[in-house]
Amino acid sequence: MQFISPLQIIREAIAEAIYTGFGIHLKCHEIALEATFPKYSAHYTSSVAIALCPRLAQDSLTIAEAIIKLCIQTCRKSSYGISLDNSSENRDIDSQWQIQAVGKGWLNINFTEQYLGEILLLLEKLRIAAIEDTNGIWQKGFLISDQYIIEDNYAYARCCALIRLAYREHLLPLVLEKNSKTIFTEVKPVETSLLVQNLAIADYLMSAQENCTERNHKKIQEKQDKLSRSLADVFLQFYDQCRIFGVNRDIACRRLLLIRITQKFLLALAPTNINYTMYL
């Protein structure tokens, strides 16, 4: 399936608003969206209005408020409020995400609970080159002899162990066969944080794959190592705070989807010459 990144949709909306209001053309990759939940009361935030302040000689909060006004107007006239399930349905963006100006001019973005549920299912279905689903566990489709260990293998191994236990408890087939929308309600903050981190990584991987502008492989791997460590840290917090078994079945299904997604992206971020199989 084609991956439509919600973060890319938001970048496009912000870029168009900036061009409409200020005549400045920014490429989408110039509009950074940082995952900030739960440190701040927003899923993502952008400092683009603050960055434009010297260029426009205006107060950054005023710029941010103008961007939001134009962004909302633009989105309601276009298809930025779209379905993520490949249907032709265009929806009101208010049912998906909201944007707010705070502080010195930060743009804070929050997704609705329903939209978070859609994103959860989208990320689980997303296929990444060289990664395949083997008996419910994501594995790389190729291995080479020169293998080594990186720090994040413990988080990956925990994911695999939980997935295997879910099969034994007859939970995982139910999760993978379930077609109804998952509503992201009554969740612990660490569950939302884990989903937000995974979406940021999916967005990064797909953007890097499409643009292919970075030729410095060392720099790319340093970036991916940083993302991997961050994801592993959040997952281990999730592992400490969230029970998977002996809870309501809907909660267990949602958390197992999060585990499957995390395991997939830990693997996608790993260097090509790593073999996690020994830890399964």
Side-chain angles (χ1 to χ4, degrees), residues 27-78:
K27 295 181 179 179
C28 287
H29 68 79
E30 296 179 283
I31 301 172
L33 291 175
E34 180 184 357
T36 52
F37 188 88
K39 185 176 180 180
Y40 301 111
S41 58
H43 296 136
Y44 299 91
T45 192
S46 176
S47 59
V48 65
I50 297 172
L52 288 172
C53 185
R55 193 168 173 179
L56 296 173
Q58 295 183 34
D59 175 70
S60 55
L61 183 58
T62 301
I63 296 171
E65 290 171 343
I67 290 173
I68 290 174
K69 183 178 179 180
L70 290 165
C71 187
I72 293 173
Q73 290 175 355
T74 300
C75 288
R76 287 176 176 166
K77 292 178 182 177
S78 66

Side-chain angles (χ1 to χ4, degrees), residues 37-260:
F37 188 88
K39 185 176 180 180
Y40 301 111
S41 58
H43 296 136
Y44 299 91
T45 192
S46 176
S47 59
V48 65
I50 297 172
L52 288 172
C53 185
R55 193 168 173 179
L56 296 173
Q58 295 183 34
D59 175 70
S60 55
L61 183 58
T62 301
I63 296 171
E65 290 171 343
I67 290 173
I68 290 174
K69 183 178 179 180
L70 290 165
C71 187
I72 293 173
Q73 290 175 355
T74 300
C75 288
R76 287 176 176 166
K77 292 178 182 177
S78 66
S79 60
Y80 286 119
I82 67 174
S83 173
L84 297 179
D85 59 6
N86 282 347
S87 74
S88 59
E89 176 191 10
N90 290 340
R91 303 205 309 264
D92 188 336
I93 64 163
D94 291 334
S95 70
Q96 299 180 336
W97 53 278
Q98 292 87 41
I99 185 169
Q100 180 183 19
V102 298
K104 295 181 179 179
W106 296 93
L107 297 177
N108 280 3
I109 294 100
N110 279 296
F111 293 127
T112 65
E113 291 177 340
Q114 179 182 343
Y115 203 51
L116 287 171
E118 291 182 39
I119 291 169
L120 180 70
L121 296 176
L122 174 75
L123 293 182
E124 201 285 323
K125 294 176 182 177
L126 177 64
R127 296 297 185 266
I128 299 174
I131 293 180
E132 58 188 22
D133 188 0
T134 305
N135 297 322
I137 295 179
W138 298 106
Q139 295 186 41
K140 285 195 174 177
F142 62 89
L143 299 172
I144 63 176
S145 58
D146 182 19
Q147 300 158 355
Y148 67 96
I149 303 171
I150 63 174
E151 294 176 357
D152 302 324
N153 58 42
Y154 176 73
Y156 178 85
R158 287 295 86 209
C159 290
C160 295
L162 290 167
I163 290 168
R164 282 205 172 90
L165 186 54
Y167 265 105
R168 194 179 75 186
E169 297 295 321
H170 307 292
L171 276 174
L172 197 53
L174 173 67
V175 172
L176 299 180
E177 292 167 8
K178 192 175 181 181
N179 295 318
S180 61
K181 292 193 180 294
T182 301
I183 306 301
F184 217 70
T185 57
E186 299 181 7
V187 301
K188 291 189 176 183
V190 72
E191 293 181 76
T192 302
S193 182
L194 186 57
L195 180 60
V196 164
Q197 289 285 342
N198 274 300
L199 175 58
I201 289 168
D203 181 77
Y204 164 79
L205 290 172
M206 296 302 105
S207 177
Q209 181 177 308
E210 290 175 6
N211 297 326
C212 297
T213 55
E214 182 57 71
R215 302 295 181 182
N216 188 330
H217 295 293
K218 182 179 179 181
K219 188 174 180 181
I220 292 173
Q221 194 54 59
E222 286 175 351
K223 170 69 173 177
Q224 294 190 178
D225 287 348
K226 182 178 179 181
L227 289 171
S228 183
R229 286 192 296 271
S230 176
L231 180 58
D233 286 345
V234 177
F235 170 75
L236 292 176
Q237 293 174 38
F238 164 86
Y239 179 66
D240 286 341
Q241 297 177 34
C242 297
R243 293 175 60 194
I244 311 300
F245 307 99
V247 296
N248 176 280
R249 185 159 282 232
D250 287 339
I251 294 174
C253 288
R254 181 182 69 226
R255 291 175 179 174
L256 282 168
L257 285 175
L258 279 169
I259 292 166
R260 287 253 307 165

